Amino acid sequence: MKSRTKVVVIGGGIAGCSTLYHLTQEGWTDVVLVERDELTSGTTWHSAAQVTNFGMTQTMVGLKTHSINLYKELAEDPDYPINYHHGDGGIRLANTEAQMQGYRHFASMARGMGVHFEVIDAAECARRHPLISTDNLLGGLWDPLDGDIDPAQLCQALARRARAAGAEVYRHTPVTDLTQHRDDTWTVQTEKGDIDCDIVVNACGYRVNEVGAMMGVQHPVASMEHQYFVTEEIAAIRDAGHRMPLLRCPISDYYCRQERNGLLLGFYEQGCKTWGMDGIDPKFSNALCPDDLHRVTDVLEGAFARMPALMEAGIHTIVNGPITYTIDGAPLVGPIPGKRNSFCIIGLRAGLGEGGGHGWLLAQQIVQGEACYDTWVIDPRRFTGHANVELTALKAIEDYQNEFRFHFPHEHRPAGRPAKTTPLTPVLAAEGAEFTVVNGWERVDYIRPTPDFHHAPGYAFDGVFDLVASDVAHLQDHVGLCEVSGFNRIEITGADRHRFLNRMACGRVQTRPGRVGLSYLLNHQGGIKAEATIANLPASHCGADRVWYGSAAASEYHDMDWLAQHLDPGEDVQLRSLTNDQTILVLAGPGARDVLSACARGDWSAQAFPWLSLRECHVGIAPATVMGVSFSGELAYEIHVPNAALYAAYLALREAGRAFGLRLFGARAVDSMRMEKGFLHWKADLLTEFDPFETGLERFVALDKGDFIGKAALLRRHAEGPRARLVSLRIDADHAPAWPGGSLMLGDAVVGTVTSGDWGHRVGMNLAYAFVRPDLAQPGTTMQLDLCGTRVGAKVIPPCPYDPLGARMRG
């Protein structure tokens, strides 16, 4: 066994084997996989092993397409062919129009990745799968490339190719401990000796937190017992003359696929059960949980109703084994938060179908520092301090019970809430607030007009539309107040703080005391890594001169990791997170200055406190830091308040606001207004795949300053010309907004993809942002949007249709 290697991958299931293989494809061949038992002896061996192209985002579709192409290539390898039923086809059923609308959106989104789904009616579902009944059925989504694969053969094929490239695989080699050294390298201790390495990858399936504990981390991954059975032969399948398509049924919570001349039938019962919460038997390997078919009786009855032939079939085999879930159901693939040279590929509840793509994207991150797609949807850092195993278990149960019922826009399911709150959360709830969730934080979405107001999430404008319109109109003419919980805040101190930030940012960093500026940080490929507000706080009783680095709530771990990784030895810079210590109250509208002046001493006139100014003060009796910045396009102030004084500040603002008609507003109104101003959202419009020139942020780039991270790559990209351009669009529809992922079309060709969309109430337009082909980025250019299966007109317009000179937010 080697004593020194570049990467050690821990775990010999699909996650580990795929990562090892793809590392060799990236050119790293001095790599090792260690497995405590035999390859595939965890969850992989008993997987139902379905391979679908369906995904909720373009990144997920892209990695699944890679899996399908890779598996097809492996299956056709004459030296080591594997069993892969490719292209049997699959149907996701639906019995509501809302589900059908969702399928139409997913078909539009997938088309941008070169994947073609078909939305079909109930009769066509039955024609393609003759065993099903059309009772209580509207239709479904057809995936022509759906299929299934032999899990053990797949992993062995990947390991075989990795070995042929120079990698090594050590079976029956349990890891006993992990030690990280001062230079951030690792020693992997095993029962057969130690291996020193540069990088460690946790690919340990349901044993993920056993290895996590060796690193001093806990991953938000929990396991659920999952049962399926295989039937005896069914005559209708035997005599069909073709393989039956796969079925996934949100109506009755089951799936099935052909297995020989019978069916493999899997269940997602409501009375589901977590597994391994109090530890896992070390001997649990190539093992199963006890059968418990009584638990799935309700699901089985629904399956019988949909497929009457099942009532005549005997049961050949029952399988009940653990599968892993994360808080949002998507895997954790990427850097481990707070650790150097350590990655994970865990929480793969659909590991066999997706594993080829996950290992592909992870290997790119390890070797190149970034993947070809923006991987935030699977990034481990998208969960932060609230992400304990208890919360994960609650969300895993909820996801399991809704396995084939996708999340609708603005749908926030109740399990595990509230995870993060501020002192104002119950106060705002009493005011009628409906909450959304951002990085675990409860944040006001909108204010309900009556206690019994309810809206059903969907793809069309709904009853919240008029509430948002009213909020925006009031704010435009008067004044509104909004809490922004969880905003990421990193305090940067030390003599070299501005030199450090200037090296990190692609533009000139604001250095003047008492002033605020916006900066963008790039990755080493020249793509956008982060967006940050840089606020320079002068020395005061609160501390010495310091910088507040502010960014999206979701970026808390991501941005801290990125900054910490790039500190130079000997540099006088210190980083400290204040994210959980302070909360922002946004005061916005033409009356904002009057309200602030009524409850905070000092001169708040435009001359004394102009736009992009910063001041420490008191709001009532509450200490506060006020910044003159606006995401709404109106005169606005961000009032940053320590959480201990947040309620006092809120009361002072509400009392001062009575004379000026102050009322509350929420995130829905903010999103509408930011679209009108051309303001972008991180990980919606700001993606690692695109550089600042492609994203329309040229004014924030200073190529004539000294070196900065990503500069060399940005210069190369700029010289090559843009691959796409972010544009603002006016959508010719008044029934629904453009949804992220929607395809823009010229004839049958996809020419762009929507990143954000919402109605602009002040300009009376249905607005969207999209990356489009560069030759189509000029204002006035027209195309069509596939909006949930209907083609509607889309026209490129100049960015910032509302108050383009910014006079209103300057007051």
Side-chain angles (χ1 to χ4, degrees):
M1 191 168 77
K2 281 185 175 182
S3 60
R4 183 73 177 82
T5 190
K6 195 164 187 66
V7 182
V8 172
V9 179
I10 307 172
I14 181 59
C17 291
S18 177
T19 302
L20 189 75
Y21 166 73
H22 284 99
L23 284 170
T24 66
Q25 293 296 293
E26 291 291 324
W28 284 17
T29 57
D30 182 15
V31 291
V32 161
L33 183 149
V34 294
E35 160 58 40
R36 70 192 300 275
D37 204 301
E38 287 285 356
L39 297 185
T40 76
S41 59
T43 294
T44 300
W45 77 271
H46 62 73
S47 169
Q50 299 167 91
V51 184
T52 175
N53 240 341
F54 179 81
M56 295 287 289
T57 65
Q58 286 194 319
T59 296
M60 293 302 292
V61 172
L63 68 87
K64 290 184 178 190
T65 297
H66 176 85
S67 294
I68 288 171
N69 293 337
L70 172 62
Y71 298 171
K72 193 169 185 294
E73 178 192 341
L74 292 171
E76 294 170 352
D77 184 344
D79 295 327
Y80 193 83
I82 64 175
N83 293 324
Y84 176 28
H85 298 120
H86 172 262
D88 287 349
I91 311 173
R92 290 175 185 270
L93 302 177
N95 67 338
T96 69
E97 182 54 37
Q99 289 170 317
M100 293 295 288
Q101 279 292 86
Y103 290 160
R104 293 182 187 106
H105 169 66
F106 296 136
S108 173
M109 178 265 295
R111 187 179 291 113
M113 300 300 289
V115 171
H116 296 281
F117 293 147
E118 187 181 353
V119 180
I120 57 178
D121 63 18
E124 185 62 17
C125 289
R127 190 188 72 79
R128 298 187 188 190
H129 199 305
L131 295 185
I132 69 170
S133 161
T134 58
D135 291 346
N136 189 31
L137 184 66
L138 278 183
L141 182 70
W142 172 259
D143 176 1
L145 298 184
D146 218 337
D148 67 272
I149 198 165
D150 184 297
Q153 289 182 357
L154 170 60
C155 292
Q156 294 290 353
L158 291 168
R160 174 179 175 272
R161 287 196 174 189
R163 287 191 191 99
E168 297 190 17
V169 176
Y170 306 138
R171 299 171 301 138
H172 303 287
T173 307
V175 173
T176 57
D177 207 356
L178 295 167
T179 302
Q180 189 165 30
H181 307 290
R182 289 186 177 181
D183 63 355
D184 294 324
T185 62
W186 292 86
T187 295
V188 180
Q189 297 164 250
T190 81
E191 289 184 357
K192 294 184 177 179
D194 295 350
I195 309 174
D196 294 324
C197 62
D198 297 329
I199 294 168
V200 169
V201 178
N202 186 342
C204 291
Y206 53 68
R207 295 190 183 274
V208 52
N209 277 314
E210 294 179 8
V211 171
M214 299 176 193
M215 290 185 176
V217 300
Q218 185 182 63
H219 297 285
V221 175
S223 295
M224 301 292 298
E225 286 190 16
H226 177 60
Q227 292 186 95
Y228 66 79
F229 66 61
V230 180
T231 72
E232 302 282 3
E233 181 175 272
I234 297 174
I237 293 177
R238 181 195 63 211
D239 300 335
H242 61 83
R243 287 184 60 81
M244 289 289 167
L246 289 81
L247 276 185
R248 296 171 183 86
C249 182
I251 307 165
S252 301
D253 299 312
Y254 79 96
Y255 63 87
C256 72
R257 67 167 176 83
Q258 184 169 336
E259 179 71 10
R260 296 187 174 87
N261 285 327
L263 288 174
L264 183 154
L265 195 72
F267 311 97
Y268 289 98
E269 69 279 5
Q270 295 302 296
C272 52
K273 186 178 179 182
T274 58
W275 180 85
M277 291 287 290
D278 297 318
I280 302 169
D281 187 338
K283 298 178 182 178
F284 192 89
S285 182
N286 274 312
L288 293 171
C289 311
D291 300 344
D292 191 6
L293 283 185
H294 291 293
R295 204 169 68 226
V296 302
T297 302
D298 56 335
V299 183
L300 193 56
E301 289 175 354
F304 285 163
R306 181 65 57 204
M307 303 177 69
L310 283 172
M311 290 186 280
E312 308 300 324
I315 296 176
H316 180 276
T317 306
I318 300 173
V319 172
N320 185 20
I323 58 176
T324 56
Y325 280 75
T326 65
I327 292 176
D328 63 0
L332 303 175
V333 180
I336 295 175
K339 293 290 180 180
R340 302 282 186 91
N341 293 345
S342 60
F343 295 82
C344 60
I345 177 168
I346 54 180
L348 276 63
R349 69 176 180 184
L352 262 294
E354 304 172 353
H358 289 308
W360 173 56
L361 294 181
L362 180 60
Q364 292 177 53
Q365 292 179 70
I366 293 170
V367 176
Q368 302 175 23
E370 207 76 73
C372 58
Y373 304 141
D374 189 298
T375 56
W376 183 245
V377 69
I378 55 175
D379 195 303
R381 297 164 297 188
R382 70 188 189 274
F383 305 129
T384 56
H386 64 296
N388 54 49
V389 174
E390 285 72 18
L391 172 63
T392 307
L394 291 175
K395 298 303 289 185
I397 291 169
E398 184 179 63
D399 266 0
Y400 190 95
Q401 292 170 332
N402 292 277
E403 178 69 26
F404 299 128
R405 286 183 283 276
F406 53 80
H407 281 262
F408 286 101
H410 303 297
E411 179 187 7
H412 304 288
R413 292 174 179 169
R417 294 179 63 188
K420 295 183 189 177
T421 61
T422 75
L424 289 187
T425 303
V427 177
L428 295 169
E431 295 269 13
E434 182 73 22
F435 292 93
T436 181
V437 180
V438 182
N439 189 24
W441 290 95
E442 297 290 325
R443 184 179 291 182
V444 176
D445 205 24
Y446 59 90
I447 304 298
R448 297 191 304 274
T450 61
D452 59 351
F453 177 83
H454 175 73
H455 84 284
Y459 285 87
F461 290 125
D462 58 22
V464 179
F465 182 92
D466 292 335
L467 302 182
V468 172
S470 175
D471 286 347
V472 171
H474 183 88
L475 190 146
Q476 185 180 19
D477 293 335
H478 302 288
V479 61
L481 183 66
C482 174
E483 182 194 50
V484 180
S485 55
F487 185 76
N488 183 41
R489 182 184 291 100
I490 300 172
E491 185 178 80
I492 306 178
T493 55
D496 298 324
R497 63 190 182 280
H498 286 121
R499 187 179 300 113
F500 167 67
L501 286 169
N502 200 52
R503 190 177 76 249
M504 298 297 295
C506 64
R508 290 183 174 82
V509 174
Q510 176 63 263
T511 60
R512 289 169 55 196
R515 297 293 288 171
V516 179
L518 186 63
S519 292
Y520 290 89
L521 286 64
L522 308 184
N523 58 26
H524 294 284
Q525 289 74 32
I528 294 176
K529 189 73 172 177
E531 178 191 58
T533 300
I534 305 299
N536 294 290
L537 280 69
S540 70
H541 66 282
C542 296
D545 291 344
R546 58 208 184 278
V547 167
W548 276 3
Y549 171 109
S551 57
S555 71
E556 180 185 353
Y557 280 4
H558 174 280
D559 284 15
M560 178 62 86
D561 273 0
W562 187 250
L563 294 175
Q565 288 167 11
H566 290 90
L567 289 171
D568 284 347
E571 199 167 34
D572 182 13
V573 177
Q574 297 82 44
L575 307 173
R576 182 167 72 105
S577 175
L578 300 178
T579 299
N580 298 302
D581 300 335
Q582 302 225 0
T583 297
I584 299 174
L585 296 173
V586 172
L587 188 65
R593 180 177 287 118
D594 295 327
V595 174
L596 188 59
S597 298
C599 61
R601 287 185 292 117
D603 183 355
W604 296 99
S605 67
Q607 294 73 34
F609 192 77
W611 184 55
L612 297 180
S613 292
L614 176 151
R615 180 186 295 174
E616 292 182 306
C617 66
H618 285 79
V619 173
I621 62 171
T625 303
V626 179
M627 300 182 195
V629 295
S630 174
F631 204 49
S632 64
E634 304 293 343
L635 174 68
Y637 304 101
E638 283 186 0
I639 304 170
H640 300 245
V641 185
N643 282 335
L646 185 63
Y647 184 45
Y650 173 79
L651 290 177
L653 289 164
R654 291 302 302 268
E655 181 61 29
R658 291 183 190 277
F660 304 99
L662 181 145
R663 79 186 210 190
L664 300 175
F665 67 98
R668 291 275 199 107
V670 173
D671 208 48
S672 167
M673 292 184 286
R674 69 101 183 175
M675 293 290 302
E676 297 173 301
K677 288 298 297 176
F679 296 153
L680 309 181
H681 263 170
W682 186 71
K683 293 308 178 188
D685 318 300
L686 301 169
L687 305 170
T688 57
E689 296 170 40
F690 301 101
D691 64 44
F693 294 109
E694 294 168 324
T695 312
L697 299 172
E698 296 89 344
R699 65 192 183 281
F700 295 100
V701 179
L703 293 175
D704 57 345
K705 75 170 193 174
D707 197 21
F708 56 83
I709 289 174
K711 182 176 182 179
L714 182 61
L715 286 169
R716 288 195 301 271
R717 292 173 67 142
H718 192 41
E720 294 167 357
R723 298 164 302 154
R725 291 279 193 190
L726 186 71
V727 299
S728 295
L729 297 167
R730 187 187 70 208
I731 306 300
D732 295 335
D734 58 10
H735 68 285
W739 294 107
S743 288
L744 291 157
M745 312 290 294
L746 274 181
D748 293 330
V750 177
V751 296
T753 297
V754 171
T755 58
S756 295
D758 209 338
W759 188 271
H761 292 279
R762 293 173 296 190
V763 297
M765 294 183 194
N766 197 351
L767 300 171
Y769 299 146
F771 280 100
V772 302
R773 226 169 55 193
D775 60 306
L776 301 175
Q778 290 302 311
T781 304
T782 60
M783 57 198 80
Q784 289 190 310
L785 169 66
D786 179 351
L787 180 55
C788 295
T790 301
R791 296 283 186 98
V792 298
K795 184 177 181 179
V796 179
I797 62 173
C800 189
Y802 180 71
D803 187 28
L805 298 181
R808 292 185 65 91
M809 61 186 183
R810 289 174 170 83

